[in-house]
Amino acid sequence: MLSVSDSKLGIIGLGYVGLPLAVEFGKHLDTVGLDINVQRIEELKTGVDRSLECSTEELAASPRLSYTHDLSELKDCNVYVVTVPTPIDDHKRPDLTPLVKASESVGKVLNRGDVVIYESTVYPGATEEVCVPILEALSGMKFNQDFYCGYSPERINPGDKEHRVVNIKKITSGSTPEVADFVDELYRRIIVAGTHKASSIKVAEAAKVIENTQRDVNIALINELAILFHRLGLNTLEVLEAAGSKWNFLPFRPGLVGGHCIGVDPYYLTHKAQEIGYQPEIILAGRRINDGMGEYVVQRLVKLMNRKRIHVCRSNILILGLTFKENCPDIRNTRVIDIIKELQDYNVEVDVYDPWADAHETHEEYGIDLISEPKQGHYDAVIVAVAHQEFRDLGVEKIRALGKPESVIFDVKYILPKDQVDECL
């Protein structure tokens, strides 16, 4: 069995998950980071990480890390870590295309005795049912005889400078007891917070996918309560703050649920459930509620504008924030897009301002052209959709100055004093 000290790692995918992992392993072991985005590789070689997960200093602190877009440069590796995204398609079904392509790539360079570790979020069973057959077919070798697999799900929180890869406990697993021990020892080289060795790959896969499913269902409950409390004439935040005075009340808040994890992972679990003949009720109910919050925000906004005699059609509306979460440039699966699309159905002029989002990426992904600066006194309504620190620093007076005298401020994220905005979720 391969020893950790003799390991040479190949990290497949250098996004929010793969790059921080490669940087940490590159401090201790020979590591090659592979990404198919040539521009991304060239930027990293100059010490630039456009995702802002790793600083120039952090990139420079990994002397044993190199970057490439050429698969042949991984042929000397003996441990492969796959960290590609696992999105859903337009029909909310798992899209395993990136995972399949990554497995095909690894299969082409796999050698006898090598270990392939997957970190991408999948449904229980996917590693052995989908990935392993690809590795066998491309390498011509037999699983658990010629090569081995592990699964150690990512727990990266984009934009979070407190909870980093090294101080988040890591789940590990392997396809044999010996491989499980190896994978666990490998990650303990870099994970200060320690590891939790699962009994099987399927257990580790299931543990990961329910982490975000649990959060999704909890947020859905609070979103439903927000809808109810609005009809009752109650301020949701006041109710939550009062309930939160009890020590065991969970501090969830209503809002838009997007990103590459919480808004996606539950569909991987429900897909597998339906595949084996079980119809999940609570999980899908939570998804329906959360997926409908963008439309709900617009309905509330339009009613408020009508009450203030603001003509909705051809009105000018500013949306502050597009990324899926605050202080982070990640626009993947942002549900702010639901607000934008719903507003466009009302034939309004929508300006989107986000100092964190990349303008080119936003145009390519969503066809949206970000504005460089909001116009003073121009808008009939302002929606605070993302709680970026820049918007907190602006404060209610400067945000209100962006609107016309009779404009509306809708604070989706509760970053402004609730008695100084027209509406909050």
Side-chain angles (χ1 to χ4, degrees):
M1 184 68 212
L2 181 68
S3 69
V4 170
S5 58
D6 292 331
S7 298
K8 180 174 182 179
L9 278 71
I11 309 293
I12 317 297
L14 296 176
Y16 287 87
V17 175
L19 180 61
L21 191 71
V23 167
E24 292 303 324
F25 273 126
K27 297 175 182 178
H28 306 276
L29 300 166
D30 290 341
T31 304
V32 182
L34 172 77
D35 200 285
I36 59 174
N37 187 328
V38 177
Q39 181 182 358
R40 172 77 165 157
I41 293 300
E42 294 307 313
E43 289 174 348
L44 290 173
K45 286 180 178 180
T46 62
V48 175
D49 171 26
R50 66 169 55 194
S51 74
L52 305 181
E53 287 300 303
C54 297
S55 66
T56 300
E57 293 73 22
E58 287 172 326
L59 294 177
S62 294
R64 301 176 71 174
L65 171 62
S66 61
Y67 307 101
T68 185
H69 56 82
D70 184 353
L71 180 64
S72 66
E73 294 190 30
L74 270 66
K75 65 179 187 296
D76 293 331
C77 295
N78 48 29
V79 178
Y80 298 91
V81 184
V82 177
T83 64
V84 296
T86 44
I88 53 176
D89 63 19
D90 293 339
H91 304 287
K92 302 188 186 304
R93 297 174 302 198
D95 179 4
L96 297 177
T97 303
L99 195 64
V100 167
K101 290 185 177 297
S103 297
E104 290 172 345
S105 295
V106 173
K108 294 175 183 177
V109 294
L110 203 58
N111 292 306
R112 195 172 303 276
D114 288 355
V115 177
V116 185
I117 303 168
Y118 288 89
E119 289 216 1
S120 306
T121 302
V122 292
Y123 54 78
T127 299
E128 290 155 301
E129 295 167 10
V130 176
C131 302
V132 165
I134 295 171
L135 295 174
E136 287 186 319
L138 270 294
S139 68
M141 295 189 290
K142 189 170 179 59
F143 176 53
N144 276 345
Q145 178 177 309
D146 302 313
F147 72 91
Y148 308 90
C149 283
Y151 184 78
S152 182
E154 59 91 2
R155 280 177 164 173
I156 294 294
N157 186 24
D160 190 338
K161 300 306 179 183
E162 179 181 354
H163 302 97
R164 309 298 297 274
V165 62
V166 296
N167 53 27
I168 301 174
K169 181 168 269 192
K170 202 86 164 68
I171 296 173
T172 64
S173 65
S175 55
T176 70
E178 294 76 20
V179 173
D181 289 341
F182 167 78
V183 173
D184 194 67
E185 183 184 350
L186 178 69
Y187 278 100
R188 279 193 278 114
R189 275 288 180 99
I190 65 169
I191 306 297
V192 176
T195 59
H196 176 98
K197 185 167 64 174
S199 62
S200 69
I201 287 176
K202 281 187 179 181
V203 167
E205 291 169 326
K208 168 56 183 176
V209 81
I210 69 167
E211 288 177 10
N212 289 316
T213 300
Q214 182 189 63
R215 292 180 65 196
D216 191 46
V217 170
N218 275 287
I219 297 170
L221 171 62
I222 303 301
N223 276 336
E224 187 167 54
L225 291 175
I227 296 170
L228 171 62
F229 292 151
H230 176 68
R231 295 188 179 188
L232 291 172
L234 296 171
N235 182 283
T236 301
L237 183 59
E238 288 185 3
V239 176
L240 294 176
E241 288 174 341
S245 63
K246 189 182 181 188
W247 78 93
N248 60 353
F249 185 82
L250 301 178
F252 287 95
R253 291 288 184 267
L256 306 172
V257 183
H260 66 296
C261 287
I262 303 180
V264 173
D265 295 357
Y267 288 119
Y268 275 76
L269 190 56
T270 58
H271 167 81
K272 189 62 178 180
Q274 292 166 336
E275 189 179 76
I276 62 173
Y278 179 76
Q279 181 63 24
E281 302 291 344
I282 293 177
I283 300 171
L284 286 176
R287 281 279 77 233
R288 285 192 296 271
I289 291 170
N290 288 340
D291 279 348
M293 290 307 290
E295 180 181 357
Y296 174 70
V297 167
V298 174
Q299 289 174 354
R300 290 259 301 266
L301 176 71
V302 168
K303 288 180 180 179
L304 181 58
M305 291 175 70
N306 284 334
R307 286 200 300 270
K308 297 189 74 169
R309 301 185 183 278
I310 300 173
H311 194 54
V312 176
C313 184
R314 296 184 180 177
S315 61
N316 294 291
I317 296 179
L318 172 66
I319 296 179
L320 294 177
L322 179 67
T323 61
F324 91 88
K325 64 179 290 187
E326 64 274 10
N327 306 324
C328 171
D330 195 346
I331 62 170
R332 288 177 296 173
N333 195 39
T334 173
R335 294 336 311 159
V336 179
I337 195 68
D338 297 339
I339 295 177
I340 297 170
K341 289 180 178 179
E342 189 70 16
L343 285 172
Q344 289 170 341
D345 287 343
Y346 284 91
N347 194 28
V348 304
E349 296 294 328
V350 180
D351 279 356
V352 183
Y353 174 65
D354 192 319
W356 283 84
D358 180 86
H360 176 74
E361 183 182 359
T362 298
H363 180 80
E364 289 293 310
E365 183 71 20
Y366 298 112
I368 293 172
D369 293 316
L370 298 175
I371 61 172
S372 57
E373 287 291 338
K375 303 170 187 174
Q376 295 290 316
H378 177 71
Y379 302 100
D380 297 288
V382 178
I383 301 175
V384 182
V386 184
H388 290 320
Q389 187 60 48
E390 287 87 343
F391 303 152
R392 293 180 184 273
D393 293 341
L394 275 178
V396 68
E397 289 187 10
K398 289 184 178 179
I399 289 178
R400 190 168 287 283
L402 299 172
K404 298 174 183 177
E406 290 301 316
S407 62
V408 169
I409 295 181
F410 194 124
D411 185 6
V412 176
K413 298 298 294 183
Y414 297 97
I415 70 171
L416 304 174
K418 58 181 178 290
D419 59 345
Q420 297 180 42
V421 297
D422 299 280
E423 195 79 289
C424 55
L425 194 57

